[in-house]
Amino acid sequence: MKYLVLIYSNPTTWAHPTFEHSDYYRCASPEERAAMDTQFGDLMREISESGELVSGTPLAEPATTRTVRVQDGDTMTTDGPFAESKEQMAGFFVLDCVDIDRATELAARFPDARFGRVEVRPIME
């Protein structure tokens, strides 16, 4: 079964791959930062080698977003994301796991879960 892992964070802290500009990351010691980077690299290797990683990509900052709506046949576009909130989607991964418990276990290991939210959603096939 495939699962979409959505990474949410405050865009003012974004820096791929582990939001290096976040207060949490900046306040961490060099050893703690290195450990987070190692954990992320280890996780990517593990799920790549196991075949569970289908794809993943960071997203550009929300200011580059365009939202499109069609009402009564008229197309309206606005700059920026639709949601007015501090947390925005930063990127996503597609995982192919045996069940949602395994996908959730992997999602909890993303360093991003310490700075924002990580959502796991089954993909309809």
Side-chain angles (χ1 to χ4, degrees):
M1 176 101 185
K2 290 192 174 94
Y3 297 90
L4 182 62
V5 175
L6 300 162
I7 309 292
Y8 293 93
S9 184
N10 185 328
T12 62
T13 65
W14 288 2
H16 181 70
T18 58
F19 307 141
E20 293 173 351
H21 298 294
S22 73
D23 289 336
Y24 181 89
Y25 194 90
R26 277 193 309 242
C27 293
S29 70
E31 294 80 16
E32 290 169 321
R33 289 193 300 272
M36 282 188 274
D37 291 340
T38 298
Q39 290 167 359
F40 182 75
D42 291 347
L43 176 60
M44 290 296 101
R45 266 187 300 287
E46 177 186 331
I47 61 180
S48 293
E49 291 171 2
S50 70
E52 292 172 300
L53 177 63
V54 176
S55 66
T57 192
L59 299 177
E61 64 179 296
T64 63
T65 301
R66 181 167 290 167
T67 300
V68 179
R69 294 177 25 181
V70 177
Q71 291 184 325
D72 299 323
D74 293 327
T75 301
M76 297 172 280
T77 61
T78 56
D79 291 337
F82 178 71
E84 294 289 332
S85 68
K86 288 184 180 180
E87 286 188 348
Q88 301 290 333
M89 188 171 12
F92 65 90
F93 292 86
V94 176
L95 304 180
D96 191 352
C97 298
V98 66
D99 58 29
I100 196 165
D101 292 332
R102 174 63 177 160
T104 302
E105 172 191 329
L106 293 172
R109 292 174 52 198
F110 280 83
D112 315 80
R114 298 175 196 170
F115 316 131
R117 293 182 296 120
V118 178
E119 178 181 342
V120 178
R121 186 178 295 185
I123 296 175
M124 295 177 62
E125 296 188 56

